[in-house]
Amino acid sequence: MDKPGTEDLVSLTQRPQWAALAAHATQFAQTHLRELFAADPERGRRLCAEGAGLHLDYSKQRVDDQTLRLLHELAASCDVHGRTAAMFSGERINRTEDRSVLHVALRMPKGERLEVDGVDVVAQVHEVLDRMAAFSERIRSGAWTGHTGKRIRNVVSIGIGGSDLGPVMAYEALRDFSDRGMHFAFVSNVDGTDFSEAVRGLDPAETLFIVCSKTFTTLETLANAHAARRWCLESLAGDDDAGDDGAVAKHFVAVSTNTDGVRDFGIDTENMFGFWDWVGGRYSMDSAIGLSTMIAIGPDNFRDMLAGFHAMDVHFRDAPAERNLPVLMALIGIWNNDFLGADTVAVLPYAQYLKRFPAYLQQLTMESNGKSVTLDGRRVDYQTGPVYWGEPGTNGQHSFYQLIHQGTRLVPCDFIGFCEPLSPLREQHDLLMANLFAQGEALAFGKTADEVRSGGAAEALVAHKTFEGNRPSSTILARKLTPHALGALVALYEHSVFVQGVIWDIDSFDQWGVELGKVLAKRTASELAAVDSPRLRHDSSTNALIERYRDQRGA
Ligand code: F6P
């Protein structure tokens, strides 16, 4: 990987490497992918890399060898290599929260050691994993029964943000591996309809709630957990001497770092699965936060997923930068974002099971790199994290792809596909993948006006039917959507986000930007709850909206 540079104190845009990229971008801007492919018949085989079972084709990105060389020089000048080593060794690289960032420890194999403040965190991780596995097996086998002795058939996971998006994404992604005799639901929104719909038709006696919250202070999660408790106790409490506590003990478990908060809520800490402040919420799906995933797919498949994460971690740590998937993805993202002016990245999985993957990535990427000051608090003078969004192919093709093909904006795309189908409908898998390949090709090469004319188009329609092309995309292919492949895929994006954060010199692991809204919501909630309609002291717009709401909300 990159060697540490000497320019680490110079601000990013002042570096010669940045200036060189800017100059290169000006001169390179008009180069069409058609020319790049014509000049190098091997391009499609050359601009690819492999790691942890994933194949990354970045040949349809608007880069040439010089672009890549300059990007690697930029990464070296930012000491990506050194910062990576710092993360893996447990240094407190989350500076604004003074924390280590050790999601990589969550997937280190048993027996490896990683000491932080004199404690072997890998041993701690495996202790929790073993408890999770034992608990999951008891639920899956029916050995753990509810308060009335019935087998647990429904698992409802309550959490939000990193305590929801990972579990729900992984559950959907790995449905093919899940226990079909069980029902899983996920509740996140404080909108009461989310909870009501999730439990509609469920028997409380057969339902287990997993309350997931790193802090155990999150308003939405606690409100939903209290609703769940009421719903459960309405029908189960008082059936024996243990009363409420007995029912809660059988139907509620918690995943958190906050033992006191869990106890205060009334969940026995025996039924708590812990993790640590060095696991960021959006990096926690492979911690105990993944308990619902483990119950759904079983401990062995969960461990397979961890092995996929770990394989990508090792690849990221050890592979040379030129063949390092997360580094390449990060650098290409920086090129598109900071030098070609793209504001967004479309994530387009050609796998229905990955339908929640774009939503998951939104938190991972945007909560991590949606920052505008450097680590030492200076305002940046370059763009940082782009907007991530997406939908599974082929649905998106019949919706927003028009803009990607012919709109005025540059929208780099990440296509994700799998060679082996999980569905028995193999011909449909060929159709699915044909669409993936076709989209990348159409975006890159387009259709010239001459080609449109020679197809017999009326002259008045030539401009409308012409595709400029030169629209960049990467394609990530794996053999099959297995737990291992999912782990590798998530770790690929995690590390790519990290590398970008290092280069942008921002803290990818804090999220102060969500705090203000939380504080204002608390104040406003107490105003809405007050019986005497207190005088409002917001701006005139917010005051008027609250007044209208109060008038119209009903009894
Ligand atoms: O509001 C942002 C956030 O802090 C996320 O970073 C986090 O994933 C989410 O809230 C949920 O937090 P918790 O797991 O503490 O309930």
Side-chain angles (χ1 to χ4, degrees), residues 160-163 212-216 218 221 281-282 363 367 511 514 518:
I160 197 164
S163 297
C212 297
S213 175
K214 179 176 171 182
T215 56
F216 229 78
T218 304
T221 300
R282 51 194 177 272
Q363 188 200 14
E367 199 166 70
Q511 56 284 316
V514 300
K518 284 188 193 172

